[in-house]
Each structure stands twice: as structure tokens, then as C-alpha cells.
Amino acid sequence: MTAPRMWFNGRPATLDDVAALLTTNYGHFTAMQVRNGRVQGLQRHLQRLQDATRALFASDLDLERVRAWLRAAVGNADASVRISVYSQAFDRDHPLRSVAPDVLLALAPPRRIDAASLRVCSMRVEREAAQLKHLGSFDLFHQRRQAQQLGFDDALLVRADGAVAEGSVWNVGFCDGRGIVWPDAPALDGIAMQVLKAGLAELGVPQSVRRVELTEVGGFGGAFFTNSTRAVMPLAAIDAAPFALDPAWRELLERALASQPWERP
């Protein structure tokens, strides 16, 4: 695969097909890595798409058709896939009207973040409709850009009241020596995080979801980044607080991840 390919409702996309996506920019998406035609957490990706379609368009998504389109597009390949849902029938003046969703499936070469660890800085930002993976990503990449201007790799989003929420396009987890702590501030329920949680639960690893204050992060024994392009990556620092994730904890996280199946569409 040398260039991205796009499919609209199961057929090759045209410029007219994506016009509503470009001009209105109202919708949602999920992004996944495909290996040998398989996706880890596929059912979770599909459920995310269904839930957001109901929330934004008051309609249902035909998930069997989406699976068939994905299956036909990827075959047995390795790829990065982004499935965007929007509607050519969406009326900006009457956004409460139920409209049928349209699906744009975009394929690109497989992607993986190669960094060994990340240094991140806190940014006081609260993402709009944080529970949705919506199309408005300007602020997330802008925060990453600002972080890099300050000499860091990425941004950690923190609420005005000091509660840690999530990274720019990733979730954050902390190791407290006994188990994993996940912040409970409003954030996207990332698929990689969901997969990790399921794997850790099967291994019997203690997990808690609670308020995490920015002022307390230096007291954790380790912190890590998780998203679809890199399910487990240690954080080397948050602001001035350094971390050194115990190799045993990293191995446990990797084992939890590996325990979860890769599914064919």
C-alpha cells in the first residue's frame, strides 16, 4: 500500500462524496490498526461508531454493512484505517432532525510510534464533548504543537480544577505499585485503554478509576501512554516530574494487551 485509499458507503469515494465532511465538519470517527486483516478490539470500535451515530444523528448505523466494507477494503493487509461517520443530509439549521449516516473509510500504510518514551507537559484544556471521538481535532493537535514549542513531545490535558483527564490523542494510566490507576475526569474512552483494562482484569491486576490530581502525579511509580498506534508506551516525564516505569509493570501491560484477540471484520 503506497497511498491512502478512500471508500464512501462501500464504493470508491469521489470529491462530491466528501464535500459535506469538508464543509460542515460535523461527525465522528474511529481509527484502528489492521494487521493481517485483523483488528484488536474490533467490536469496541464498532460500538463506538454506533453510540456516536445515535448521539449526533439520532439514527442507527448498519454495523454489518460497515464490517463488510471494512473486510472488502483491507483484505489480509496491514493498514491504518480511519472510519468517519457524517451525513450528507445533515441540516445545520435543524441539527435535531434524524438523518441517515454516511461512512467514509480511509486506508493508509500501517503506523506505529517509534519513540521509546515521551516527555509531556500539562495544559489546562477541557475538550468539547470529551466522550466523543468527534471530527474537531484542531485543539488537540494545537496543544501538541504548543507542547513541542516548549521542548516536550506532547500535551497532557488537565481540567481547570487540576484533575488529569487524557493526552492530546491518547489516554494516560498510572502505576501505584499495587495496580493501575485510571483518571476519572471526562475523557475519550479509548479503544486501546478498553483493551488493556480487559486484559488486566483477566490477569487479576488491580485497577481503579479515580480523580487524579496534577499535583500528585509525581508520587506514582510510573505512567504510560496508550492509543491505537501504540498501546503501551512509558512516559519519561510529566512537567518536571520524571518517571521510570518498572520493566516488570511494562511486561505485565504488554502481556495484558497480548491476551486480547485480534478479530476479522
Side-chain angles (χ1 to χ4, degrees), residues 244-255:
L245 186 64
D246 187 325
W249 275 105
R250 181 168 184 178
E251 188 277 333
L252 187 61
L253 289 165
E254 296 282 5
R255 186 149 51 94

Side-chain angles (χ1 to χ4, degrees), residues 11 25 27 55 60 85 102 109 137 155 176 183 193 207-209 219 241 252:
R11 58 171 173 76
N25 199 34
D60 283 333
V85 179
D102 294 305
S137 300
D176 66 0
M193 181 175 69
Q207 300 179 76
S208 62
V209 180
L252 187 61

Side-chain angles (χ1 to χ4, degrees), residues 144-226:
R144 175 180 282 176
R145 185 175 189 273
Q146 288 186 309
Q148 292 184 3
Q149 287 176 326
L150 295 172
F152 293 85
D153 298 305
D154 212 330
L156 179 70
L157 309 187
V158 178
R159 290 170 58 88
D161 63 3
V164 173
E166 59 188 330
S168 61
V169 292
W170 43 276
N171 292 107
V172 63
F174 298 92
C175 302
D176 66 0
R178 299 178 299 276
I180 304 300
V181 177
W182 304 100
D184 68 357
L188 183 71
D189 192 13
I191 303 301
M193 181 175 69
Q194 293 181 40
V195 169
L196 268 178
K197 284 182 176 179
L200 290 166
E202 289 183 10
L203 294 176
V205 178
Q207 300 179 76
S208 62
V209 180
R210 66 166 178 84
R211 182 183 176 92
V212 175
E213 300 280 354
L214 179 62
T215 54
E216 71 171 298
V217 298
F220 287 107
F224 60 94
F225 161 122
T226 179

Side-chain angles (χ1 to χ4, degrees), residues 63-205:
L63 295 183
E64 286 308 309
R65 293 181 72 186
V66 174
R67 289 185 72 135
W69 295 336
L70 177 61
R71 184 167 57 248
V74 302
N76 294 316
D78 292 351
S80 297
V81 176
R82 173 172 167 144
I83 302 176
S84 300
V85 179
Y86 57 106
S87 178
Q88 292 182 325
F90 179 72
D91 186 341
R92 292 181 292 181
D93 295 324
H94 301 94
L96 289 178
R97 289 179 177 170
S98 175
V99 291
D102 294 305
V103 176
L104 184 72
L105 194 154
L107 276 70
R111 185 171 182 268
R112 178 177 167 86
I113 301 171
D114 292 327
S117 61
L118 293 179
R119 295 176 62 253
V120 304
C121 66
S122 59
M123 297 277 185
R124 299 290 175 135
V125 177
E126 296 184 30
R127 193 164 65 85
E128 185 72 23
Q131 77 280 9
L132 297 174
K133 195 172 180 70
H134 52 75
L135 297 178
S137 300
F138 168 83
D139 59 335
L140 303 179
F141 294 120
H142 186 58
Q143 298 303 326
R144 175 180 282 176
R145 185 175 189 273
Q146 288 186 309
Q148 292 184 3
Q149 287 176 326
L150 295 172
F152 293 85
D153 298 305
D154 212 330
L156 179 70
L157 309 187
V158 178
R159 290 170 58 88
D161 63 3
V164 173
E166 59 188 330
S168 61
V169 292
W170 43 276
N171 292 107
V172 63
F174 298 92
C175 302
D176 66 0
R178 299 178 299 276
I180 304 300
V181 177
W182 304 100
D184 68 357
L188 183 71
D189 192 13
I191 303 301
M193 181 175 69
Q194 293 181 40
V195 169
L196 268 178
K197 284 182 176 179
L200 290 166
E202 289 183 10
L203 294 176
V205 178

